[in-house]
Amino acid sequence: MSVAERLIAPKAPPAPQPQAWTGQKLVGHSLMGLWVAASVGLFLFLVGSFDIEKIRTYGPDYLSGLWITLQLVIMAVAIGALVSLPVAIGRMSANKPISWLAYAYVYAFRGTPLIAQLFLIYYGLGSFRDTLDALHLWTFFRDPWNCALFTFTLNTAAYQAEILRGAIQSVPRGQHEGAAALGISRWITFRKIVLPQAMMVALRPYGNEIILMVKGSAIVAIITVFDLMGETRRAYSRTFDFQTYIWAAIFYLIIVEALRNVWAVLENRLTRHLKR
Amino acid sequence: MPGFLTTWFDPFCGPVGLFSLFLSDSLLACGDAGWGDEIAGGVLVTVSLALATLPLGLVAGFFIALAKQSNEKSLRLAANVYTTIFRGLPELLTLFLVYYGAQIGIQQAMRAMGADLVIEINAFIAGMVALGLVFSAYSSEVIVSAFHAIPRGQYEAGNALGMRRGTTMRKIILPQLVRIALPGLGNLWMILLKETALVSVIGLSDILRQTGVAARVTKEAFMFFGLACLLYLVLAILSSIVISAIEQWASKAEMKR
């Protein structure tokens, strides 16, 4: 023990000061209070308007609507992925007319609202009924579900083509050159070297695109497809009970949050070799 | 706006307008003969709705971005709940929630006060609020990532010069923030422009609604909805020209290397 420590007795640390109420804390707590109040209010509203009859009548409708929404999104995204391949290849092609054509397709579908495209296909193709009849396509385009699937596929193909192109072009030239120097064939280079790296870049935008599709699919309710939104609108028009919309909101939020979390896990897994 | 200015420079139905010059004996003629003036009005509604939503969403998005990077945990949480909700809900559903929800809410509040009235919410205001909610949720993310791109040293330099926090924000951080966030915000503007088409569902007479009415009356659905798509495409092209001009202007201040 040194002299200094004997002369000056050690002191206890100062008592923790009470946290001051800063402006930020005040605003933060009151906003959180607002959210809590809103969710409690919503819960009470749902409890207060609980009606077993309504749930028995409309519950199965909601589930079938949910299934239709999921079907529409999954099929559109899957078929759109196939359609996007030639578009992306065309976009990267050195052939001017082909790349210009692919660019025009992408620009047209990305520059106009999905709902306008849907109307153009569903209502607009009726103007060509005789031609479509002759081609035996009228039975396909008469059905709103088919029209929705067709429009969504073309729309998501345009977006996915851009995602794919951006991802492939983000792989540095040196990767191609390195593979060429090792005498690896072009197809194997693409499949084993370029594609895995491109997929890592593309993963997040793909996830965003699927989420956009889920949210965008709500508009098919307007052309009388009974997806989740369509069932909601039908239930609301029969009951005039606002809780129908609240339930739809809960369903959509669950789908989107689930997708986001799955995507976070996927991304973590695919990029685990990049972590330090 | 003075009336003669809008009639004179109307790009569709003015004296040198597109419809009145080239399409005066078609379905798109202006006046009672065709649908030109109705659709021109629809374009005006679409553009003004998007322009009215933009400042609302930007200012709200800026404050939400500030909240997201505050030191206070509750403030961050509150802001994150906001973005989770409004980025997760379909825009159409948000629109219905605002439109019908506000209508029912106000009606019930009035009934509680003893006034039994049927309330109609203005579709333009409802659209503005709903689109503003969604836009602010997305723009806050863009602004947060722009904030992250600004080095700490910039704040410290402001401190060292004896500036107040507000002055530092206004004179040092904001000019850089605008430049960094511009491409992202430009994308959001394009999305906003397309989302305005949804308000046609609650009865606002925008491009899509006016062309839809024309399509139903004339039975020329493909022509009119094609025209609607074309008009949105033209608006998108015009805005990308304006956005790149703004980016050019903002990059003037960038350091030359």
Side-chain angles (χ1 to χ4, degrees):
Chain A
M1 223 185 239
S2 67
V3 179
E5 273 176 84
R6 243 180 298 131
L7 282 178
I8 309 165
K11 276 189 213 160
Q17 287 202 339
Q19 285 266 310
W21 275 86
T22 57
Q24 284 190 7
K25 196 170 178 181
L26 195 70
V27 173
H29 276 68
S30 42
L31 284 179
M32 257 342 267
L34 216 62
W35 277 127
V36 171
S39 40
V40 167
L42 212 57
F43 181 74
L44 286 182
F45 170 66
L46 286 181
V47 168
S49 50
F50 182 81
D51 184 350
I52 193 72
E53 232 4 83
K54 274 182 195 159
I55 291 191
R56 214 171 271 156
T57 320
Y58 297 109
D61 289 352
Y62 268 70
L63 290 183
S64 88
L66 184 66
W67 176 231
I68 290 197
T69 294
L70 291 179
Q71 256 179 320
L72 181 65
V73 171
I74 292 169
M75 285 172 75
V77 169
I79 307 174
L82 289 182
V83 178
S84 77
L85 280 178
V87 179
I89 292 170
R91 229 8 210 108
M92 290 185 288
S93 153
N95 187 333
K96 270 274 155 60
I98 292 182
S99 80
W100 194 86
L101 207 68
Y103 183 62
Y105 170 80
V106 168
Y107 201 96
F109 274 94
R110 299 207 318 168
T112 52
L114 185 54
I115 186 173
Q117 296 163 16
L118 192 66
F119 283 4
L120 182 66
I121 304 248
Y122 180 63
Y123 296 117
L125 286 186
S127 309
F128 305 107
R129 185 167 171 185
D130 297 335
T131 328
L132 289 171
D133 246 342
L135 294 167
H136 302 290
L137 283 172
W138 178 240
T139 41
F140 180 84
F141 284 112
R142 204 177 42 188
D143 183 31
W145 156 263
N146 290 338
C147 283
L149 183 61
F150 184 73
T151 315
F152 279 40
T153 303
L154 290 184
N155 182 277
T156 190
Y159 281 92
Q160 287 188 30
E162 279 304 275
I163 295 172
L164 203 60
R165 182 187 67 90
I168 289 176
Q169 288 184 342
S170 78
V171 177
R173 262 185 92 82
Q175 300 285 328
H176 290 271
E177 288 165 358
L182 290 172
I184 300 173
S185 76
R186 277 186 64 179
W187 169 240
I188 300 285
T189 307
F190 180 73
R191 198 162 60 92
K192 297 215 152 180
I193 296 171
V194 176
L195 204 59
Q197 299 185 65
M199 276 305 125
M200 264 178 324
V201 178
L203 192 68
R204 186 177 282 260
Y206 266 128
N208 287 344
E209 172 60 19
I210 295 177
I211 290 176
L212 280 184
M213 273 326 247
V214 171
K215 298 195 327 177
S217 71
I219 59 170
V220 296
I222 299 164
I223 60 161
T224 67
V225 175
F226 287 102
D227 73 325
L228 185 49
M229 191 72 191
E231 292 292 357
T232 307
R233 272 165 53 106
R234 179 151 69 179
Y236 182 73
S237 67
R238 288 192 187 152
T239 59
F240 290 106
D241 188 347
F242 194 63
Q243 67 165 320
T244 50
Y245 280 116
I246 308 275
W247 280 113
I250 293 171
F251 275 117
Y252 275 112
L253 274 184
I254 289 174
I255 303 176
V256 169
E257 279 307 295
L259 266 173
R260 265 198 347 158
N261 284 308
V262 167
W263 237 258
V265 171
L266 265 181
E267 199 170 3
N268 240 332
R269 170 104 189 128
L270 276 182
T271 58
R272 64 192 185 281
H273 62 286
L274 294 175
K275 292 226 180 59
R276 288 157 205 260
Chain B
M1 210 183 297
F4 76 92
L5 263 183
T6 44
T7 45
W8 193 258
F9 289 108
D10 184 349
F12 299 104
C13 286
V16 284
L18 197 62
F19 293 161
S20 37
L21 275 188
F22 301 108
L23 299 158
S24 51
D25 17 290
S26 68
L27 281 171
L28 285 174
C30 298
D32 290 336
W35 294 92
D37 48 339
E38 280 84 358
I39 292 171
V43 175
L44 193 66
V45 169
T46 292
V47 172
S48 47
L49 178 62
L51 283 179
T53 310
L54 185 69
L56 193 76
L58 275 182
V59 171
F62 178 73
F63 283 108
I64 295 163
L66 276 187
K68 273 187 186 163
Q69 38 179 358
S70 121
N71 296 321
E72 174 56 38
K73 209 171 160 191
S74 58
L75 201 53
R76 286 201 306 264
L77 192 63
N80 284 331
V81 170
Y82 179 88
T83 27
T84 307
I85 291 178
F86 290 110
R87 284 199 314 173
L89 287 181
E91 289 78 11
L92 187 64
L93 187 56
T94 311
L95 191 63
F96 282 154
L97 285 176
V98 169
Y99 187 58
Y100 294 121
Q103 215 150 298
I104 291 170
I106 294 177
Q107 219 143 328
Q108 244 147 34
M110 293 296 258
R111 196 166 305 156
M113 291 192 305
D116 213 357
L117 297 166
V118 176
I119 306 281
E120 279 270 334
I121 298 282
N122 185 327
F124 190 91
I125 306 273
M128 212 170 102
V129 171
L131 293 177
L133 288 171
V134 178
F135 187 88
S136 61
Y138 278 100
S139 69
S140 74
E141 290 290 298
V142 170
I143 294 171
V144 162
S145 56
F147 264 122
H148 285 319
I150 295 175
R152 270 193 87 76
Q154 301 286 328
Y155 297 89
E156 287 162 3
N159 265 347
L161 291 174
M163 287 181 170
R164 286 166 202 278
R165 276 177 59 189
T167 317
T168 310
M169 180 59 83
R170 222 179 48 245
K171 300 220 151 168
I172 299 182
I173 307 301
L174 257 182
Q176 304 184 60
L177 192 76
V178 168
R179 203 165 65 223
I180 299 168
L182 256 181
L185 293 179
N187 276 342
L188 289 182
W189 162 258
M190 297 288 204
I191 294 174
L192 174 67
L193 202 57
K194 290 189 278 170
E195 273 170 2
T196 54
L198 293 177
V199 292
S200 61
V201 179
I202 57 170
L204 193 62
S205 37
D206 72 331
I207 296 178
L208 198 61
R209 176 144 182 113
Q210 298 294 59
T211 48
V213 171
R216 214 168 310 136
V217 173
T218 60
K219 310 275 182 219
E220 292 277 354
F222 193 82
M223 199 268 263
F224 277 108
F225 284 123
L227 177 69
C229 286
L230 211 63
L231 286 173
Y232 279 109
L233 213 55
V234 168
L235 288 181
I237 292 170
L238 285 182
S239 4
S240 70
I241 291 172
V242 171
I243 289 169
S244 60
I246 296 176
E247 273 173 23
Q248 199 95 62
W249 169 79
S251 69
K252 268 198 307 199
E254 231 160 58
M255 197 163 44
K256 303 272 189 309
R257 284 171 207 272

